Amino acid sequence: MTKKIGMKRYDFDEIIPREGTHCLKYDAREWMFHTNDVLPLWVADTDFRTPDFIAEAIKNRAEHEIFGYTFKPDSYYEAVIGWMKRHHNWDVKKEWILFSPGVVAGLTLAIEALSKPGDGVVVQPPVYFPFFDCVKGTKRKLVENPLVLENGRYTFDLDDLKAKVDKNTKLLLLCNPQNPGGMVFTREELEGLANFCLENDIVIISDEIHSDLVFSGQRHIPFASISEETAKNSVVCMAPSKTFNVAGLSSSLVIIPDKTKRGRYERALNIGHLGMGNIFGTVALEAAYTHGDEWLKQLLDYLWGNYLFLEDFFKKHLPKVKVMKPEATYLIWLDFREYGMNDNELFKFTVDKAKVGLNNGGKFGSGGDGWLRLNIGCPRSVLEEALKRLAGAFGTL
């Protein structure tokens, strides 16, 4: 265990070169954009230094110099339980907590554990694009239930959902907070979806990887915390990876209150001998959830400042672009449709003309064409440079 830390200020303006570290965001630009000459704001990790209390915990463990088979101690589970209670007002029991190398891996394992090939799985686009791969890769039937854009945010279309499902529809993949839109679905929205799924015997697998990154005035509600009935009908996937910038340590949580579903997931996990995880991922997760409260507060303050900077910049220099105001996450969903470019044209323009590497909206499914996703999890000077490049390419700066 690492020692408790005192109050300190963290420097999110620090520029930390990431080239040459096998960093996907920077070192894979040639693969993603066919050029290295772009400022990358695409992959959903941040350019901020991983907190010192996590690095210290890893260094302390590394000093032992034997990295054999391991297990997760009680202090690991206590850290998870404490974090969920403090940040999400969710009382989680130790036995509910299972492992996955990543949230997408957890989604895939849950699909395989709780359905069979040919069963219907609902996906609600525009949404994090690996959802589509999880369904198609496991030979399940993709059932698309597009979100509805109302008053500047997405919400569920339960009428469309009712028309799409049948007795072979077994699962629904929920993304909350929503990626790429940044919504934090309300209790009323979640209850409506939960009740529909209970009535139709559809299990909800909820990706809540961005749940810690919720801005002031909003509150994330873990899907399984809505009611006892919903808890029995849900699987919740979480991780410290987005919050603390430790995605490379491959350590995520799959929380399943229902004993039967938990057993089926655990069997799928164990068939692949995936349950142990790695030593440093375990150490990092425990340190993050034990010591990360103040760091997260400062991170959210900085990210919100970045968003306000971006919002003001677009109003002044790119007013034709509609910015979806985030309720959570460091991912900003930008509507460029007034420029009249299709998805490929817009993507090529931002790469070739603006020299900025963003995610093209079409990858997120129906409703994404003409949009771009931009990552503000970077020093403000980097964000400013990227925005100036965009405005310069459009001739508005």
Side-chain angles (χ1 to χ4, degrees), residues 4 25 33 74 94 110 114 122 130 140 146 169 175 185 187 194 210 259 281 285 300 334 354 369 373 392 395:
K4 290 284 184 181
K25 183 183 288 183
F33 304 106
D74 287 342
K94 177 183 176 180
L114 301 175
V122 178
R140 272 58 172 177
T169 308
C175 190
F185 291 114
R187 177 172 290 277
H210 293 281
K259 183 177 181 180
L285 186 148
L300 288 171
L334 303 168
D369 284 357
R373 192 188 75 171

Side-chain angles (χ1 to χ4, degrees), residues 383-394:
L383 177 61
E384 181 177 9
E385 172 61 22
L387 297 182
K388 284 181 176 179
R389 291 188 186 192
L390 276 173
F394 282 101

Side-chain angles (χ1 to χ4, degrees), residues 147-156 176 181-186 189 218 324-325 327:
L147 298 171
V148 178
L149 185 56
E150 292 180 353
N151 301 317
R153 68 189 297 275
Y154 290 117
T155 190
F156 305 127
N176 182 39
M183 275 72 55
V184 179
F185 291 114
T186 66
E189 288 172 317
Q218 304 294 329
M324 186 170 284
K325 186 175 183 178
E327 298 166 352

Side-chain angles (χ1 to χ4, degrees), residues 114-232:
L114 301 175
S115 64
K116 62 182 185 300
D119 284 346
V121 180
V122 178
V123 174
Q124 299 173 310
V127 73
Y128 182 49
F129 42 86
F131 276 29
F132 303 106
D133 298 330
C134 292
V135 177
K136 296 174 181 177
T138 54
K139 301 188 185 310
R140 272 58 172 177
K141 177 185 175 184
L142 180 67
V143 180
E144 291 202 26
N145 168 226
L147 298 171
V148 178
L149 185 56
E150 292 180 353
N151 301 317
R153 68 189 297 275
Y154 290 117
T155 190
F156 305 127
D157 187 342
L158 297 183
D159 290 333
D160 178 76
L161 182 59
K162 183 176 181 180
K164 298 276 183 70
V165 304
D166 58 30
K167 60 183 177 60
N168 294 317
T169 308
K170 301 300 182 183
L171 305 172
L172 184 146
L173 302 186
L174 173 66
C175 190
N176 182 39
Q178 208 272 344
N179 174 8
M183 275 72 55
V184 179
F185 291 114
T186 66
R187 177 172 290 277
E188 182 180 11
E189 288 172 317
L190 294 173
E191 286 177 346
L193 187 65
N195 291 336
F196 177 90
C197 289
L198 285 167
E199 291 165 3
N200 290 275
D201 198 24
I202 297 171
V203 177
I204 290 189
I205 304 173
S206 186
D207 170 2
E208 303 185 10
I209 196 169
H210 293 281
S211 57
D212 298 326
L213 300 170
V214 175
F215 296 120
S216 179
Q218 304 294 329
R219 181 182 161 225
H220 174 75
I221 302 172
F223 194 80
S225 72
I226 292 172
S227 68
E228 187 174 339
E229 293 78 12
T230 300
K232 294 177 182 177

Side-chain angles (χ1 to χ4, degrees), residues 78-347:
E78 290 165 1
V80 173
I81 291 168
W83 185 266
M84 296 305 162
K85 181 62 176 178
R86 293 195 308 278
H87 290 271
H88 305 301
N89 196 31
W90 187 20
D91 293 309
V92 171
K93 296 181 180 179
K94 177 183 176 180
E95 61 267 25
W96 296 358
I97 303 169
L98 297 171
F99 174 81
S100 173
V103 163
V104 175
L107 297 173
T108 303
L109 286 168
I111 289 170
E112 292 187 323
L114 301 175
S115 64
K116 62 182 185 300
D119 284 346
V121 180
V122 178
V123 174
Q124 299 173 310
V127 73
Y128 182 49
F129 42 86
F131 276 29
F132 303 106
D133 298 330
C134 292
V135 177
K136 296 174 181 177
T138 54
K139 301 188 185 310
R140 272 58 172 177
K141 177 185 175 184
L142 180 67
V143 180
E144 291 202 26
N145 168 226
L147 298 171
V148 178
L149 185 56
E150 292 180 353
N151 301 317
R153 68 189 297 275
Y154 290 117
T155 190
F156 305 127
D157 187 342
L158 297 183
D159 290 333
D160 178 76
L161 182 59
K162 183 176 181 180
K164 298 276 183 70
V165 304
D166 58 30
K167 60 183 177 60
N168 294 317
T169 308
K170 301 300 182 183
L171 305 172
L172 184 146
L173 302 186
L174 173 66
C175 190
N176 182 39
Q178 208 272 344
N179 174 8
M183 275 72 55
V184 179
F185 291 114
T186 66
R187 177 172 290 277
E188 182 180 11
E189 288 172 317
L190 294 173
E191 286 177 346
L193 187 65
N195 291 336
F196 177 90
C197 289
L198 285 167
E199 291 165 3
N200 290 275
D201 198 24
I202 297 171
V203 177
I204 290 189
I205 304 173
S206 186
D207 170 2
E208 303 185 10
I209 196 169
H210 293 281
S211 57
D212 298 326
L213 300 170
V214 175
F215 296 120
S216 179
Q218 304 294 329
R219 181 182 161 225
H220 174 75
I221 302 172
F223 194 80
S225 72
I226 292 172
S227 68
E228 187 174 339
E229 293 78 12
T230 300
K232 294 177 182 177
N233 196 50
S234 58
V235 172
V236 174
C237 301
M238 291 180 165
S241 53
K242 304 301 182 190
T243 313
F244 297 98
N245 209 22
V246 290
L249 294 175
S250 298
S251 194
S252 299
L253 303 165
V254 178
I255 303 175
I256 311 177
D258 181 71
K259 183 177 181 180
T260 300
K261 293 179 180 63
R262 189 165 66 244
R264 291 171 66 179
Y265 174 87
E266 195 164 20
R267 181 175 182 275
L269 187 71
N270 291 337
I271 286 173
H273 287 253
L274 297 171
M276 187 176 296
N278 72 82
I279 291 171
F280 298 115
T282 298
V283 167
L285 186 148
E286 181 179 336
Y289 287 162
T290 302
H291 304 304
D293 301 73
E294 175 59 27
W295 188 87
L296 175 57
K297 180 179 181 298
Q298 293 183 34
L299 172 68
L300 288 171
D301 287 343
Y302 191 86
L303 289 175
W304 187 247
N306 271 3
Y307 168 70
L308 293 177
F309 178 85
L310 176 145
E311 180 185 62
D312 182 66
F313 188 95
F314 274 95
K315 285 179 180 177
K316 291 178 179 176
H317 302 293
L318 288 165
K320 291 174 70 173
V321 178
K322 295 182 177 64
V323 179
M324 186 170 284
K325 186 175 183 178
E327 298 166 352
T329 85
Y330 47 72
L331 304 170
I332 308 301
W333 194 225
L334 303 168
D335 182 358
F336 280 79
R337 288 178 294 176
E338 278 196 35
Y339 285 99
M341 288 185 269
N342 65 33
D343 198 59
N344 290 333
E345 291 168 341
L346 180 60
F347 183 68

